[in-house]
Each structure stands twice: as structure tokens, then as C-alpha cells.
Amino acid sequence: MNETIGIILIGIGLTFDFFGCLGLVRLPDVYNRLQASTKCVTLGTCSILFGVFLMLGPTAAGIKSLLCIIFLVLTAPVSAHAIARGAHRSGVKLWKGSVVDRYAEDKEGGL
Amino acid sequence: MDMNKIKSSNRMKIVRWLIGMFVILGVLAGITFYPIKILFHPDLPFVPLFSRCLIILFLSAFLCLYRILRGPTAPDRIVAIDILGILIVGFCALMCIPTGRSWYIDIGIVWALQSFIGTLALAKYLEGRDLDE
Amino acid sequence: MKSKIVLFILGLFVWLLLSWPADGQDFFQHLLVGILVAGFVAFMTGDMFTSRPKHFIQFRRYVWFFYYLPMFIWECIKANIDVIIRIIRPDLPINPGIVKVKTSLKSDTGLTFLANSITLTPGTLSVDIDKERGFLYVHWIDVKDKDVERATSIIVERFERILRRIFE
């Protein structure tokens, strides 16, 4: 039973991973790519790790995969945030179809 | 004139989308029917299933590598490197089951933390600041 | 001193999870090494860890945290399905932009968790924090409203309500 649920979770995770990387190729600009890839790949890899935990049970490797989930959920959004801020400060423009950019307006007003 | 251009570009987009879907479905069918079994010893459990899973992860990694090679700006490449690190964590976790070696997941944990620190350093470099600020 | 004790307990907990004894024979050796290492780390860097160690003892914060967790996972799954549908449609239905939202959280941990939750939920990615005036700059893949107040009520409020009870 646990093995079946684990295999299903691993399959869901692989699907999310693959579509996240497809978004990395298809979307037009750094920020959109960051959105798609960070969300999909983080949830997909967490799903794979939880499936591995269900298949292995509470052994050493299973508990370590649970810890790895905690580390990933805490660190992946922070690195996405850092890359987005660095890209905006280094002068990468938004995609030409973008609607509004309050950050650039406020930075020009403030500085 | 303008309308014609827009229409033709839309048609090109849909044709490209159809070609891409065709390639992806073909590759998935190929994986399902002709899996590569060179990675593991065939007596271990779940080997056919997990060799298929690992090939899907390899495909995602190739999409990331495309973005690293083609990315027009530096942040694109950094995003792709970050995503590649997270994919490798999933890869290490998957290798744990068919080989039965539990130290793969240790490599996964260390890789997650290390790639996080590397990404933070690259983002700081992108902002043009010193590392100790 | 209290901050050092909190860091010591957390470090020992993570150490015990990392060196999980499969058959229970080397448990006391692992415990001894863990106490030594966690004590050393807590003694060296304990003062920077948290400025308000009293919050770790209050029980209701944990209850709200375990109420927050399933909601967060559900929002996360919804976000992923939304993004995947946007990716595989041939006409790429995106409408991106950076909007400004207001937040009333003050503590560093609360702001970090708010930014992480915004990043992992539907169509939004936090770009920068203006901590003095309490503004967050959020990249939104499908801008529904450019106004500060209404964007705040769509993006932030469902998390802020709970995170205030956990971290403030």
C-alpha cells in the first residue's frame, strides 16, 4: 500500500519537474521563468522526496529525505527572491507585454 | 499588412507548439516502450520503473542546459543553474531505492544547502555588491 | 542565554534526525556527540539566533502553525496546476507586472515567511521588501488589479491573518 502511494507521488513529482523545466524554456523573460520553474520544481522535488520516504519507511534514508524537504522549502524561495532582486537591480527589463512596474517607478522616485 | 503579419506569427506559434508536443509525446512513448536498462543490476527491485523515471529527469536537465547555453542575459543562466541543483537533489533521492544505498540521500542534502549558498553568492555578484556587505 | 538554549535544543533535534539509528544500537554515542556539537555551536553563535526566545514556549503559536501548514500545501498545489496550464497552452496567457502591496508584519521571521508563502503560491513572486514603510514588491504573472489596496486584499491578507498570530 505504502509503496503504491509512494510510486504515485514520485510520478506526480516527475510530471511537475518536467513541466517546470518546459516553462523555463517557453516563457519569455527572467521573472516569468523564475515563477514557473521555482514553484513547479520545488513542489515536484518535495513530492519525489516524500514518495521516497513512503517507500523506505522510517529508516535512516527516509528520515533524511524528510529533513531534505524542510531544507528545500525553506531555501528555494529565498534564492528565487535573491535572483529576482539582483536581476532587477542589474537592469534587466521586464517583458515588453508587461502591464505595470511599480518597483522601477518607486526606485526612480526615491533615488 | 499588419494584421497579416500578426496572423502569420500566430500560425507559426501554433505550428511550433504542435511540433513540440509531437516531439515530447514521441519521447515519452519511446521511454515507455524501450527503456534503457544499463544503469542498474537487473536483479534489484523496481529497476524498469526507476530507469524510466531517471530518463524523465535527464530530459528536464537537458531543458535546463538549453537555457544555460542560450540564455540571453546572466540572470537566466543563474536561474537555470539553481533549478539544475534542485533537480539533482531529486535525482539523488530516486537513486536511493533501486540501488539500496542510503548515502545517496546524504549527497542530496549537502547538494541542496551548497547550491543555495552558491546561488546567493551569484545573486550578490549580480547586484554588484561585495560579498561581505 | 535563553536564545542559546533554544538553538541548542533545535540543533540537537536536527542532529538526532540526521543520525537516525536504524536498529538502535549506537544511540548513546550519537547522543553524546550531538550534545557536544550542538553545545559548541550554541555557545559560539547562540546570541544571533533569535531576539525573542519567549515565543518558543507559547503553545498557541504551534497550534496556529499546524493550522497554517495544510492551507499552505493546498495553495501550493493549486498554484502549480495553474502555472502548468499556463505553460502548456499554445497562446501563453500571461499578463505580467510588478505590483506593490502593503503589509503590517514587523518581525524579520514573519516577513521572511510571508515572502516565502507569496513566492510558492499562485502566480506571485516577491521581489523586494521595503521594511521601513511596510511595502512588498510582488511580481504577478496575471495582474488583476494595479491598485495597492485591492492587490493587498487579493495576495497578502489570507496569509497575514495567520502569520500575525504565529510570529508577532
Side-chain angles (χ1 to χ4, degrees):
Chain A
M1 187 61 199
N2 268 349
E3 284 184 353
T4 320
I5 299 176
I7 287 174
I8 291 171
L9 276 180
I10 288 174
I12 293 172
L14 284 171
T15 321
F16 279 140
D17 270 7
F18 185 74
F19 281 115
C21 291
L22 197 64
L24 194 65
V25 173
R26 272 202 83 194
L27 288 173
D29 121 34
V30 185
Y31 307 98
N32 295 316
R33 279 173 201 151
L34 207 52
Q35 290 225 9
S37 53
T38 305
K39 270 176 215 145
C40 290
V41 176
T42 306
L43 187 76
T45 307
C46 287
S47 173
I48 288 176
L49 286 167
F50 196 68
V52 169
F53 167 70
L54 282 183
M55 289 186 76
L56 290 176
T59 56
I63 299 291
K64 275 173 200 164
S65 70
L66 277 189
L67 259 185
C68 201
I69 290 179
I70 298 173
F71 289 152
L72 268 188
V73 172
L74 284 182
T75 58
V78 177
S79 62
H81 167 89
I83 295 172
R85 202 171 82 154
H88 205 287
R89 293 218 176 156
S90 74
V92 176
K93 294 275 186 298
L94 267 73
W95 181 50
K96 62 183 187 303
S98 301
V99 184
V100 63
D101 189 357
R102 299 263 182 222
Y103 191 39
E105 289 167 16
D106 279 15
K107 242 181 6 179
E108 279 165 18
L111 289 175
Chain B
M1 183 59 201
D2 225 357
M3 282 306 289
N4 273 337
K5 229 179 208 172
I6 290 172
K7 263 184 195 168
S8 74
S9 79
N10 263 338
R11 206 179 298 136
M12 274 310 293
K13 234 188 224 169
I14 290 177
V15 167
R16 262 164 51 195
W17 183 77
L18 279 175
I19 292 173
M21 284 306 271
F22 186 72
V23 170
I24 288 172
L25 288 180
V27 168
L28 285 184
I31 290 169
T32 317
F33 292 117
Y34 301 103
I36 305 170
K37 287 186 190 170
I38 52 172
L39 279 172
F40 309 113
H41 195 268
D43 289 342
L44 292 164
F46 302 116
V47 166
L49 183 71
F50 275 88
S51 45
R52 285 168 186 147
C53 293
L54 290 179
I55 293 168
I56 294 179
L57 272 188
F58 282 145
L59 281 180
S60 324
F62 274 115
L63 292 179
C64 283
L65 286 179
Y66 170 80
R67 186 45 74 197
I68 291 176
L69 289 177
R70 271 297 295 282
T73 58
D76 287 308
R77 299 195 168 111
I78 297 176
V79 172
I81 290 170
D82 186 27
I83 297 307
L84 199 58
I86 302 179
L87 281 182
I88 287 171
V89 175
F91 176 79
C92 290
L94 273 185
M95 285 293 274
C96 225
I97 295 175
T99 58
R101 292 172 187 150
S102 67
W103 42 261
Y104 273 110
I105 199 81
D106 300 344
I107 303 175
I109 291 177
V110 175
W111 201 295
L113 296 175
Q114 199 71 42
S115 85
F116 168 62
I117 295 170
T119 311
L120 280 192
L122 284 173
K124 280 269 188 197
Y125 164 73
L126 209 61
E127 275 184 50
R129 292 195 290 175
D130 284 337
L131 287 181
D132 53 348
E133 211 173 316
Chain C
M1 191 59 210
K2 278 174 188 166
S3 165
K4 283 180 185 175
I5 292 171
V6 169
L7 182 59
F8 174 73
I9 292 170
L10 268 179
L12 192 59
F13 184 63
V14 174
W15 174 273
L16 283 182
L17 284 185
L18 269 178
S19 69
W20 186 266
D23 40 3
Q25 51 182 359
D26 291 336
F27 180 70
F28 286 103
Q29 298 175 16
H30 283 304
L31 190 65
L32 187 64
V33 178
I35 286 172
L36 286 179
V37 173
F40 179 70
V41 172
F43 177 70
M44 294 299 281
T45 64
D47 292 332
M48 310 179 220
F49 181 62
T50 171
S51 55
R52 286 170 297 180
K54 214 191 299 172
H55 288 183
F56 282 87
I57 316 172
Q58 292 165 345
F59 183 67
R60 65 191 160 85
R61 294 181 191 274
Y62 293 97
V63 175
W64 279 106
F65 184 72
F66 283 106
Y67 172 70
Y68 165 75
L69 215 55
M71 194 188 93
F72 171 70
I73 293 172
W74 173 240
E75 291 283 338
C76 196
I77 292 170
K78 259 191 349 194
N80 279 281
I81 291 169
D82 178 65
V83 166
I84 283 181
I85 288 172
R86 277 177 208 282
I87 288 170
I88 62 177
R89 270 176 59 170
D91 52 344
L92 277 183
I94 57 174
N95 184 23
I98 294 183
V99 297
K100 188 161 83 165
V101 296
K102 232 178 356 192
T103 173
S104 63
L105 292 180
K106 288 280 183 287
S107 68
D108 285 344
T109 326
L111 277 174
T112 312
F113 266 81
L114 182 67
N116 281 7
S117 318
I118 285 174
T119 300
L120 286 178
T121 50
T124 49
L125 170 85
S126 54
V127 176
D128 202 354
I129 294 177
D130 189 348
K131 209 182 150 193
E132 288 148 17
R133 281 172 287 183
F135 285 127
L136 272 168
Y137 296 96
V138 173
H139 183 266
W140 201 353
I141 204 169
D142 180 21
V143 177
K144 295 197 188 77
D145 214 319
K146 297 178 197 172
D147 189 49
V148 176
E149 302 288 333
R150 274 170 289 183
T152 305
S153 74
I154 295 174
I155 297 178
V156 178
E157 272 181 1
R158 56 190 169 182
F159 295 120
E160 209 182 44
R161 205 163 39 84
I162 302 173
L163 284 174
R164 189 181 297 125
R165 292 203 172 88
I166 300 175
F167 294 109
E168 290 289 301

